[in-house]
Amino acid sequence: MTDVEVTGTAMVPFGRHPSRTATELGAVAVHDALHEAGVGRRFDAAFCGTAYGGIASGHRVLGRLGLTGTPIVDVEAGCASGAAALALAAGAIREGRHGTVLVFGVEKMPKGMIRSTYFEPWQEQLGLTAAPAYFGLRARRLMIESGVTKAQLAAVVVKNRAHGAHNDDAMFRTPVTADEVLASRMVCDPLHLFMLCSPNEGAAALVLQAGHRGGVRLRACALRSHLPGHVLNEGSPLCGLVGAAPEPPTAMAAADAYTEAGLGPTDLDVVECQDTDAARELLAYEELGLCKPGGCGAFLDAGHTRLGGRLPVNPSGGLLSKGEPLGASAVGQVVEIVRQLQGRADPRRQVADARVGLAQTIGRGANASVTILSR
């Protein structure tokens, strides 16, 4: 099978860009990634991830740069849109259809709660599908099943905001204390305001090329969705506390990715995972096999996931620091992992001698992606 390497990365800082359109943000990211890869304007196909961008978002971005004419595929898979675009691009190279492929994600999210056409009207009317309520229910279940405490939820925020303080691409770069997190406004018990990421705007881009060039290899990119028969299609309280919970999509995607890469959790040096809320990061520890089931709180307390720990998680600051532009967030995670493996991250948050990294995302439809890269 043809090797796939990442030869170009770019990112427009996640935040608010009131004077720029999503097309303009995407054009900057694409231009910079192509420049870094040194391929000029030459690529064989493009895949664009976006959830709120509208029809032919990728075409608009490439049209702005005068780069249309190649196949352009727009991909929507909720928060995993960018990862789905990446999986399609990698597959096109591995199958020998293309040699150089562009992947990018763009988004401009409205402020406030994330609304979605995914849910049926009756689900929204019950008040259980709006993102903060759903996240709160899932966090409460994690507290019941894994013994996670509110102090540990706050500790995730403290860790990620400390990491994000040294990331120029992050929206929030001010460290916070646990007391400040717990004193922030309650949104949906047990989640306080600082425990939730902010929907925002941004763009990120990658250039993939066939062959082994001695750079960062894309070892695996797996995408899975929920198993049938569950109301919200993920392990939430609405799945019931009696009987077995469904196998989480993240766990299924991780198993696929580890098999494809020929690597396992103990091989990882750095992880970027979905922290739309503090509990979601802790849940990822278990679903990715970073710790034993029920052990996420102790894993955090041991300091393993801090910078300087055994397996730093979200050295970028995660979504709790960067915010989340849905279509761009998964591509942005991969940009961070690539730069960590290249030793190009800010020295204050560079993971020492990182050789293998993993990025994980999960969103609507319980679309879960796991990407593994190595140098």
Side-chain angles (χ1 to χ4, degrees), residues 78-94:
C79 299
S81 296
L86 178 62
L88 291 171
I93 291 177
R94 287 176 173 146

Side-chain angles (χ1 to χ4, degrees), residues 104-374:
F104 58 101
V106 297
E107 209 73 85
K108 282 182 78 78
M109 301 286 298
K111 294 183 179 180
M113 291 188 295
I114 299 175
R115 299 298 300 269
S116 172
T117 56
Y118 172 75
F119 295 109
E120 299 292 340
W122 68 266
Q123 292 175 305
E124 291 224 11
Q125 288 166 11
L126 282 175
L128 298 172
T129 58
Y134 172 42
F135 295 164
L137 289 167
R138 189 177 54 200
R140 182 59 66 185
R141 179 168 187 145
L142 186 65
M143 295 173 78
I144 294 170
E145 294 186 334
S146 294
V148 167
T149 66
K150 285 190 69 169
Q152 289 168 330
L153 295 177
V156 171
V157 183
V158 172
K159 172 182 74 69
N160 288 359
R161 289 287 292 268
H163 293 175
H166 306 301
N167 184 0
D168 291 341
D169 292 327
M171 183 176 186
F172 301 111
R173 280 172 273 174
T174 304
V176 294
T177 66
D179 287 342
E180 289 173 324
V181 174
L182 295 172
S184 65
R185 178 167 56 88
M186 174 63 74
V187 179
C188 287
D189 187 59
L191 299 176
H192 294 252
L193 182 64
F194 284 11
M195 295 177 181
L196 294 155
C197 82
S198 298
N200 63 4
E201 306 164 353
L206 302 163
V207 175
L208 307 184
Q209 290 189 271
H212 186 49
R213 302 159 187 266
V216 173
R217 294 175 61 194
L218 181 64
R219 301 290 295 266
C221 188
L223 185 72
R224 294 293 295 266
S225 63
H226 63 87
L227 294 172
H230 300 279
V231 176
L232 284 180
N233 309 317
E234 198 185 353
S236 79
L238 296 186
C239 295
L241 288 172
V242 177
E247 186 175 7
T250 290
M252 294 190 291
D256 290 351
Y258 289 140
T259 298
E260 183 179 342
L263 299 166
T266 57
D267 296 306
L268 302 175
D269 299 308
V270 57
V271 169
E272 285 282 310
C273 73
Q274 184 87 7
D275 58 335
T276 39
D277 66 273
R280 180 61 253 181
E281 174 170 319
L282 293 171
L283 188 57
Y285 295 176
E286 299 185 12
E287 294 175 344
L288 294 171
L290 309 184
C291 65
K292 295 179 180 178
C296 62
F299 194 68
L300 175 78
D301 289 343
H304 296 316
T305 58
R306 294 197 300 257
L307 280 167
R310 178 159 59 84
L311 179 58
V313 174
N314 285 325
S316 70
L319 304 181
L320 289 169
S321 294
K322 294 187 297 183
E324 188 182 23
L326 260 62
S329 61
V331 180
Q333 287 181 328
V334 176
V335 169
E336 171 69 15
I337 292 294
V338 170
R339 292 176 176 175
Q340 286 284 348
L341 298 181
Q342 293 172 328
R344 295 172 54 202
D346 185 294
R348 293 168 293 182
R349 60 183 187 83
Q350 173 68 51
V351 177
D353 197 31
R355 303 188 67 84
V356 180
L358 178 149
Q360 175 261 350
T361 304
I362 184 166
R364 284 286 184 263
N367 279 310
S369 69
V370 173
T371 302
I372 298 176
L373 303 110
S374 70

Side-chain angles (χ1 to χ4, degrees), residues 22-93:
T23 298
E24 291 169 335
L25 298 176
V28 171
V30 166
H31 173 273
D32 291 352
L34 291 171
H35 178 75
E36 183 173 295
V39 299
R41 301 165 66 89
R42 300 181 302 279
F43 57 90
D44 304 316
F47 296 84
C48 171
T50 185
Y52 287 79
I55 296 171
S57 292
H59 298 69
R60 292 200 302 271
V61 170
L62 296 178
R64 176 62 64 97
L65 295 169
L67 294 175
T68 54
T70 60
I72 304 170
V73 180
D74 293 286
V75 182
E76 188 279 303
C79 299
S81 296
L86 178 62
L88 291 171
I93 291 177

